[in-house]
Each structure stands twice: as C-alpha cells, then as structure tokens.
Amino acid sequence: MKLYNGDCLEVMKELPDNSIDLIVTSPPYDDLRNYGNTLNWNFEIFKNIAIEIFNITKNGGVVIWIVGDKTVNGSETGTSFKQALYFKEIGFNLHDTMIYQKKDYKPLTHNRYEQEFEYIFCFSKGKPKTFNPIKVKTKNSGKTVKNASYYKTNNDETTIVKEYKVKDTKIKGNIFLYSVGRNKNIKHPAMFPEDLAKDMITSWSNENDTVLDPFMGSATTGIAALDLKRNFIGIEIVEEYYKIAKERIDEKLY
C-alpha cells in the first residue's frame, strides 16, 4: 500500500517499468472542474501521462479509463475518443469499450437527450493475462434449442446449430448500470461508484495483484482494491483530496 501526494506524471516516472497489473482511474474531463484551482490539464499533458502509463503497465496488464466529454458551443469535444486513439497509437490495444450508465442521472435543460453515461475504455498491453467475467443468469436456463441461427460466416451465410442446451449463466453485457450521487460525508466533486471499481478490479486482476489509480481523488479505487485483497498505489495532486483518501485508507487498514 503506497499513497503519494504529488503530480502523477512525476510519481509514475519513479515507479518501475512493467510493475502494474491494473490501472483503474478517472482522469479530468477536459476542464469541467478545477479541482481546487490545481488543474493543469491539456492533451499534451495527457499524452505524457499515457506514455508513462504504458511504461509501468505489465505485459498482459489492463488500464480502465473512465472518461466523458465537455460540451462547448453546442458540440461535445470528443476528447475521450482522441485519448482512446492515442492509447492505441502508443501500443495499447483497445480491448473493450464499455459503458458506465448512471441510474440516477441529473436532468439538464438543453436540446438533446439527457446525458446518462460515460465511457469505460479498457486498454490492454498485449493480450490481457486476466479476465474473471461477471456472470448473469440466462433467461432459458436448461432449455434445449433446435435448429438455431447462430452466426454469419465470412461469406455472409448464417450457420445453423442443430441443437444446443442453454447454459445456466452467461457473461454479462458491457453496459454497467450504477446508482450515482455524492457521499455527503466525503468532500470530493467527482466520485465514481465503488461498485464500478470493484467490478473492474474483479474482472481484470487477481488477489495480490497491484492496482494503481494515478488520479486517486478520495480513494474509491483504493477502498475497492483493499476489499478485494489487491495491493494498491494511489497518486493525488490535491492535498485536500489526498488527506481524505489517506484517512479513508487508514480507517480501512486499522
């Protein structure tokens, strides 16, 4: 367990290359918040951070990047897509694009549909070494299905499966629904749900793996990592948030 109060770019330079199994983090969304007037964030800074993330991630390691976009003059910035493409450019695979859907999103007054989701980009350094999929019950468990259309071949023909038995469970879809809302006892403006962190940590790492959050905030990822018996490294530049994170982690440990 290591917590750092500092600039994640500088701290990550001090971490050993190929030492992190999983990163679960939510970086600044453009300049939607100033984080105590400490935010120094643009695409060039992001690129430097992305390169350091690549360096410290193990082969087979995964980065979970939870991000949204600001709307400027009626147009979304598309920064999230630019970041995803840059991660690919420096050597990561875009292994999965998942959706974090907000159950209790706040309605806004504008001429578009309500914004109720953020992206969960899953980048891998090579093939992911770990995948512990979350399973859900199937609707027709145990049912025998005959002559079912299954998939199309390269020449666009549908393959017919003569008979198969429906399994009890299947891997869930890549849309994750969570209740949202700030914890009034924790003074941080942009907390994501602890269940989200737990689902990602469970899926993409094993016990005793090392999980990093370079934008630690109030230590949501850290609390989830401790509950799931992972090692945790957290970096937070804002002293106020670092103190909150450290207090929460200390309470958990002691």
Side-chain angles (χ1 to χ4, degrees):
M1 171 65 62
K2 294 181 180 179
L3 304 181
Y4 297 90
N5 181 200
D7 185 327
C8 67
L9 180 58
E10 299 306 317
V11 174
M12 286 191 295
K13 288 179 180 178
E14 301 301 318
L15 299 178
D17 287 352
N18 303 306
S19 62
I20 304 298
D21 297 286
L22 173 65
I23 293 174
V24 178
T25 197
S26 184
Y29 297 5
D30 293 310
D31 59 353
L32 281 171
R33 295 182 175 88
N34 63 26
Y35 295 98
N37 295 315
T38 62
L39 182 62
N40 182 21
W41 185 250
N42 56 45
F43 197 70
E44 291 305 310
I45 293 172
F46 155 75
K47 289 198 292 186
N48 290 331
I49 288 173
I51 290 169
E52 290 305 323
I53 284 175
F54 184 84
N55 290 338
I56 64 176
T57 300
K58 290 181 180 179
N59 292 326
V62 164
V63 176
I64 297 297
W65 192 259
I66 305 162
V67 68
D69 294 302
K70 182 180 180 180
T71 298
V72 180
N73 296 326
S75 176
E76 294 180 2
T77 61
T79 302
S80 57
F81 299 114
K82 295 175 187 176
Q83 291 176 351
L85 292 173
Y86 188 74
F87 272 117
K88 289 187 64 177
E89 184 179 327
I90 63 174
F92 279 108
N93 295 328
L94 179 51
H95 184 70
D96 198 356
T97 301
M98 299 173 281
I99 294 295
Y100 156 30
Q101 183 182 5
K102 302 175 183 181
K103 186 176 181 181
D104 309 307
Y105 63 89
K106 293 182 179 180
L108 302 172
T109 303
H110 45 41
N111 63 342
R112 69 192 73 196
Y113 292 107
E114 299 295 354
Q115 184 61 49
E116 63 174 309
F117 78 90
E118 295 171 13
Y119 295 104
I120 308 174
F121 291 117
C122 176
F123 304 106
S124 64
K125 193 171 180 179
K127 181 180 179 181
K129 66 179 178 60
T130 300
F131 181 46
N132 306 309
I134 298 168
K135 299 289 189 72
V136 295
K137 292 183 178 180
T138 54
K139 183 178 179 180
N140 298 307
S141 173
K143 181 179 178 181
T144 298
V145 179
K146 297 183 178 181
N147 298 322
S149 299
Y150 194 57
Y151 58 85
K152 289 187 175 181
T153 58
N154 289 336
N155 60 4
D156 211 30
E157 293 180 354
T158 301
T159 296
I160 303 298
V161 177
K162 291 183 178 180
E163 181 176 305
Y164 73 92
K165 187 175 182 180
V166 179
K167 296 180 180 179
D168 293 335
T169 61
K170 62 181 179 180
I171 297 175
K172 78 171 298 301
N174 58 4
I175 297 176
F176 291 78
L177 176 65
Y178 303 103
S179 294
V180 296
R182 289 183 60 184
N183 186 326
K184 295 180 181 179
N185 297 320
I186 302 175
K187 295 181 180 180
H188 190 278
M191 294 178 63
F192 56 80
E194 190 174 317
D195 284 344
L196 189 165
K198 285 185 174 180
D199 283 344
M200 295 300 109
I201 292 170
T202 298
S203 297
W204 305 104
S205 69
N206 296 313
E207 288 189 8
N208 300 315
D209 279 354
T210 299
V211 177
L212 167 69
D213 188 345
F215 303 96
M216 176 173 61
S218 59
T220 299
T221 298
I223 296 297
L226 288 177
D227 283 343
L228 295 169
K229 299 180 181 179
R230 272 66 167 175
N231 300 310
F232 178 67
I233 300 174
I235 310 170
E236 175 54 49
I237 193 170
V238 181
E239 185 175 4
E240 177 187 358
Y241 302 152
Y242 171 80
K243 289 178 178 178
I244 293 170
K246 188 174 186 308
E247 183 177 332
R248 295 184 71 201
I249 294 292
D250 286 346
E251 287 179 359
K252 197 75 177 177
L253 289 172
Y254 308 111

